[in-house]
Amino acid sequence: MTSNEIRKKFLKFFENRGHKIIPSASLIPENDPSVLFNTAGMQPLVPYLLGQKHPMGTRLVDVQKCVRTGDIDEVGDNRHLTFFEMLGNWSLGDYFKPDAIKWSFEFLTSKEEGLDLDINRIYVTVFEGDDNAPRDNEAADIWGKYVSKNRIYFLPAKNNWWSAGDNGPCGPDTEIFYDTNEVPLGDMTHDEFVKADDEGRVIEIWNNVFMEYEKALGKVVGKLAKHNVDTGMGLERIVMVKQGVKTVFGTDLFGGEQTREERIIIDHVKASLFMISDGVIPGNTGRGYVLRRLIRRASRFSSEPLSKMIEKIKKIYEGVYNLDDNGIIKEEEEKFRLTLEQGLKAFEKGINPFDLFQSYGFPIELTIELAKEKGIKIDREDFDKKLKEHQDLSRTSSAGMFKGGLAGTGEMETKYHTTTHMLLAALRQILDRITKRRSFKNCKKCIFRFI
Ligand code: SER
């Protein structure tokens, strides 16, 4: 089964059960300044989970693009990814535990409509209860209709409670695991299962959140007006399970990358391509900085230009997503290659990480990586302190100058930054012309050719 077929099957399965298919929201959150990117299927739906009426009704199904950047340094093993897709079905005050669990089970095991996975390899976990909410006996009882009681485990909030942050809708969840070992693991005690999970011998494939609580400042403050169901199944993982390969890189969503470097490159270029397609541009702050860091890190690991990789990724997603980087990756790559050499020289001379960042656009993480390779330790705290001072300084100056109703200084800072760069570039071009005694007229690239 191809990844394309799995996406389609999922949408169709839930469409047949009264769900409306909604398109993926952009990776850039629309109304949530607390996160840089959508990190889960629920994020764009938060207003509706909190009770706002959704124009498409109370049963939705989608495939949401997500980016998680917390794990960037772990990318390269067999499962951490920066960009991924999440399959999700949603009940907004509509069905609850019985239907959600039944449909999850049916989709995974049904030969005709679902993925035809092996019932004997499925394990589930449910919430064991704490001060916030009671033990989820109901979910366990429902699961008892579909899987052996010996394969249902109660686990604490650390495992079976979902919330996207300290505030907002949340609730206990039930997670579905799959055993992909050649010789099936069979019945396991609670402790054996926990150990198998820790060791990656069972893989979590799907999460059903029974969202009926609300959190504020990290504490459950009450129940939502209506109960919801939020499910999330990582596409890359379920495709890996279904295609019977050992890592996500062996699925048709990747190209069989084997080494850590190869995996980092495809992961980072893919995430960059999706980010740019949703309107992010490289920069020194926020989303732009994450993007810059991804492109530069990919570029550093790659022995050839990234263009081939870009084409490869476009092909993988042909007909599913419109991906176009408008040459931005190449531009950023070239800039980086030029400064890399100078930066490396400066690094060898012992220039401090903050100056490397400021003058050469060297992300601190890259400096740390380089230093590690050379057995040098970098004072991260010192860097963070300097960066904060720098940011505070520029914030104060832009806030001072633009008191008149500008909401975010971040955007203004970025504009300033860009303007400064353009000004410097123009000055450099002018100086170049003057020293070489050439006119500007014939220069196609120079922005002063009209002089
Ligand atoms: N929000 C839950 C998760 O991301 C389920 O979609 O796992």
Side-chain angles (χ1 to χ4, degrees):
M1 220 181 262
T2 65
S3 53
N4 248 335
E5 282 164 347
I6 292 178
R7 264 193 219 95
K8 279 192 196 142
K9 272 206 143 170
F10 182 80
L11 295 173
K12 188 91 206 131
F13 181 91
F14 284 98
E15 194 179 37
N16 287 343
R17 285 156 184 80
H19 293 63
K20 290 276 182 306
I21 301 176
I22 56 167
S24 172
S26 160
L27 278 174
I28 307 177
E30 246 178 53
N31 301 313
D32 188 352
S34 69
V35 284
L36 291 176
F37 298 99
N38 275 323
T39 60
M42 70 167 280
Q43 246 143 14
L45 293 169
V46 165
Y48 310 105
L49 294 165
L50 287 173
Q52 196 177 311
K53 216 169 156 261
H54 194 286
M56 302 290 277
T58 55
R59 293 183 182 195
L60 310 173
V61 60
D62 65 0
V63 181
Q64 174 63 43
K65 297 177 278 186
C66 301
V67 157
R68 289 188 187 172
T69 51
D71 294 339
I72 267 187
D73 297 319
E74 311 221 27
V75 169
D77 65 4
N78 61 2
R79 58 206 169 91
H80 283 97
L81 296 173
T82 310
F83 169 86
F84 62 95
E85 293 169 75
M86 207 174 241
L87 309 169
N89 56 289
W90 307 86
S91 158
L92 303 172
D94 194 311
Y95 61 87
F96 208 43
K97 295 177 190 179
D99 285 327
I101 292 175
K102 181 173 84 186
W103 291 336
S104 287
F105 180 75
E106 277 177 14
F107 179 72
L108 292 176
T109 56
S110 156
K111 252 197 183 64
E112 297 75 31
E113 276 189 288
L115 300 183
D116 190 21
L117 293 180
D118 183 355
I119 297 175
N120 290 314
R121 289 173 177 270
I122 292 178
Y123 300 82
V124 300
T125 62
V126 292
F127 180 55
E128 72 173 19
D130 63 12
D131 295 345
N132 284 323
R135 184 180 175 90
D136 200 350
N137 287 318
E138 190 192 350
D141 287 346
I142 300 165
W143 270 120
K145 292 194 221 160
Y146 308 105
V147 300
S148 147
K149 289 219 165 32
N150 299 329
R151 300 195 181 183
I152 303 168
Y153 308 97
F154 284 92
L155 290 177
K158 177 164 74 72
N159 306 81
N160 285 65
W161 184 274
W162 169 268
S163 55
D166 282 344
N167 301 299
C170 58
D173 66 37
T174 175
E175 301 188 355
I176 307 167
F177 290 75
Y178 201 71
D179 162 14
T180 56
N181 298 286
E182 245 157 69
V183 181
L185 295 168
D187 282 350
M188 286 187 273
T189 64
H190 181 280
D191 292 352
E192 283 166 349
F193 173 80
V194 170
K195 193 159 178 270
D197 178 22
D198 282 347
E199 293 170 358
R201 285 183 288 123
V202 284
I203 301 165
E204 186 207 328
I205 49 173
W206 201 351
N207 186 9
N208 275 223
V209 187
F210 305 119
M211 221 168 233
E212 53 174 342
Y213 297 91
E214 189 171 4
K215 244 186 185 179
L217 301 173
K219 285 190 91 148
V220 170
V221 287
K223 281 204 168 184
L224 297 168
K226 288 178 189 158
H227 62 219
N228 306 298
V229 174
D230 150 9
T231 88
M233 174 153 58
L235 178 70
E236 291 73 6
R237 274 204 203 171
I238 195 69
V239 173
M240 170 179 104
V241 165
K242 185 62 201 162
Q243 293 181 351
V245 287
K246 293 224 153 45
T247 79
V248 290
F249 298 95
T251 67
D252 66 349
L253 291 164
F254 288 87
E257 291 70 20
Q258 298 282 344
T259 66
R260 177 169 172 263
E261 288 74 19
E262 285 169 348
R263 290 174 177 181
I264 290 174
I265 297 165
I266 191 163
D267 171 87
H268 287 14
V269 175
K270 192 191 269 200
S272 302
L273 202 48
F274 272 93
M275 286 180 188
I276 297 170
S277 302
D278 275 351
V280 184
I281 49 165
N284 271 353
T285 53
R287 278 186 275 277
Y289 181 62
V290 174
L291 172 60
R292 170 159 287 165
R293 199 179 142 199
L294 287 168
I295 300 174
R296 294 190 167 197
R297 195 156 181 261
S299 170
R300 201 171 84 78
F301 282 107
S302 179
S303 54
E304 54 178 16
L306 299 174
S307 52
K308 253 201 224 155
M309 183 53 80
I310 297 174
E311 289 316 308
K312 182 165 152 181
I313 295 168
K314 279 188 185 167
K315 240 194 140 78
I316 291 174
Y317 291 97
E318 207 165 34
V320 186
Y321 295 104
N322 259 335
L323 297 176
D324 196 355
D325 77 315
N326 286 315
I328 288 178
I329 293 183
K330 186 158 178 243
E331 215 174 276
E332 183 68 19
E333 219 185 334
E334 279 169 3
K335 250 193 242 165
F336 182 54
R337 280 188 200 277
L338 277 177
T339 54
L340 187 61
E341 215 172 293
Q342 287 173 296
L344 280 174
K345 273 192 203 136
F347 174 77
E348 307 263 324
K349 278 195 208 141
I351 303 267
N352 85 55
F354 187 71
D355 291 337
L356 274 175
F357 169 76
Q358 271 287 79
S359 320
Y360 299 93
F362 251 55
I364 176 67
E365 294 79 7
L366 178 55
T367 307
I368 292 175
E369 271 188 27
L370 282 171
K372 216 167 162 189
E373 282 166 20
K374 295 192 182 295
I376 307 168
K377 225 176 127 39
I378 295 290
D379 189 347
R380 177 75 202 237
E381 264 176 35
D382 179 62
F383 175 86
D384 288 339
K385 210 177 111 218
K386 288 199 174 106
L387 181 66
K388 202 169 173 318
E389 281 165 10
H390 170 74
Q391 283 170 341
D392 286 348
L393 260 178
S394 45
R395 202 163 290 138
T396 324
S397 58
S398 49
M401 272 188 257
F402 288 89
K403 277 201 187 111
L406 271 175
T409 51
E411 196 191 352
M412 211 54 229
E413 263 169 51
T414 314
K415 281 186 185 147
Y416 263 145
H417 207 96
T418 313
T419 316
T420 313
H421 278 297
M422 284 171 68
L423 190 65
L424 281 176
L427 282 172
R428 235 176 256 133
Q429 286 180 350
I430 294 173
L431 278 172
D432 209 31
R433 291 279 142 177
I434 292 172
T435 46
K436 288 182 187 142
R437 292 177 193 289
R438 277 191 242 137
S439 92
F440 295 101
K441 272 193 197 113
N442 301 324
C443 179
K444 279 201 194 83
K445 266 199 225 142
C446 178
I447 57 170
F448 287 94
R449 60 182 172 277
F450 46 82
I451 294 181

